[in-house]
Every structure is written in structure tokens, then in C-alpha cells.
Amino acid sequence: MRPPPAPAGSYVPFRINGNTLYVSGVLNMRDGALTAAGQVPKDQSIESANAAAQVCALNTLAAIKLALGSLSRVKAFLLVSGFVNGVAGFDSSPQVINGASDLFLKLYGDAGKHARAAVAVAGLPRNATVEIQVTVCFE
């Protein structure tokens, strides 16, 4: 598993409070470059944005492993907040963020079920197509 991307601002990649891990927002970055840039559906299709959300999920898993030492310590995904760089009026953010949610469900089964927000925004850092922020509980 690749290490998570380094923070691009004045924040830490994660915080732990008790048995809750808060992972900072992660972009769809791989090897230092965005896998998708621009707005949906102007620059990216819903399908390519869904794939970008999967990349965000993989980066989140890397951050979880860094924080906890092992992905097997995760007991449950509590919350996924998903942000999609969308054109004005874009209303298909849930279809995009399903890329991340479906991966967590596939890997963790019932423990991967989570509460969620999926919203379109006017822009994201570096013109990324997707950003997600995740909260999990662990043992």
C-alpha cells in the first residue's frame, strides 16, 4: 500500500480521540499527481469521478494504516463526507461518492456501512475532482 499523500496545508493527516480516528480530507492523488481534475460533468464524467472517489478511499485507507498500524483495527466506518467539484446545479454527487462508499463496503462488509454526505462544491484544492473525509472507530 502506498503512503498517503502529505498534507498540503496547515493541518495533520489524522487525529485520534479515544477509539475514534478522524482522517483529514484526502484528494484523488496518486504518485503526487491528480488522477482526475476539473468539474463534473464539464471536465470529468460521473464514471471517471466515481473512479477518483475510489482513489480517495485508497488514500484514506493508507492514512488509516499510518494512524493505526493495521487496517484490521478498524471496527466500523462511521462517517464519510464527500465533496465533488461540480458545475452549478450538479445533482449527482451521491453517484460519484459511491466510488468510495462501495469500496469500504466491499472491504469491510457491515463494518463498512456509514453515515454520509455527498455534496457538489464550486471547487476543490488543486482543482481535484473529488475529496473525502472519513471518521472510523477502532480497537
Side-chain angles (χ1 to χ4, degrees):
M1 177 174 282
R2 293 180 168 106
S10 300
Y11 62 93
V12 294
F14 59 84
R15 293 286 294 183
I16 294 174
N17 183 28
N19 287 354
T20 304
L21 171 65
Y22 301 88
V23 180
S24 294
V26 296
L27 303 176
N28 56 289
M29 302 281 293
R30 183 179 293 140
D31 299 325
L34 291 170
T35 61
Q39 295 182 306
V40 184
K42 181 178 125 188
D43 305 308
Q44 298 292 328
S45 67
I46 290 175
E47 294 76 18
S48 65
N50 179 286
Q54 291 176 25
V55 172
C56 290
L58 292 171
N59 288 336
T60 297
L61 291 170
I64 291 170
K65 185 174 181 188
L66 178 67
L68 303 180
S70 172
L71 294 174
S72 65
R73 292 184 63 195
V74 174
K75 287 175 51 179
F77 282 73
L78 302 176
L79 177 66
V80 173
S81 298
F83 308 94
V84 180
N85 188 353
V87 298
F90 181 68
D91 65 356
S92 297
S93 295
Q95 292 169 285
V96 171
I97 301 304
N98 281 347
S101 294
D102 291 347
L103 182 62
F104 296 142
L105 290 169
K106 179 179 179 183
L107 294 176
Y108 285 90
D110 281 344
K113 293 179 180 176
H114 50 269
R116 188 177 88 173
V119 297
V121 295
L124 288 171
R126 301 184 181 183
N127 199 30
T129 299
V130 181
E131 179 175 358
I132 66 169
Q133 182 180 14
V134 175
T135 304
V136 300
C137 66
F138 65 94
E139 48 188 22

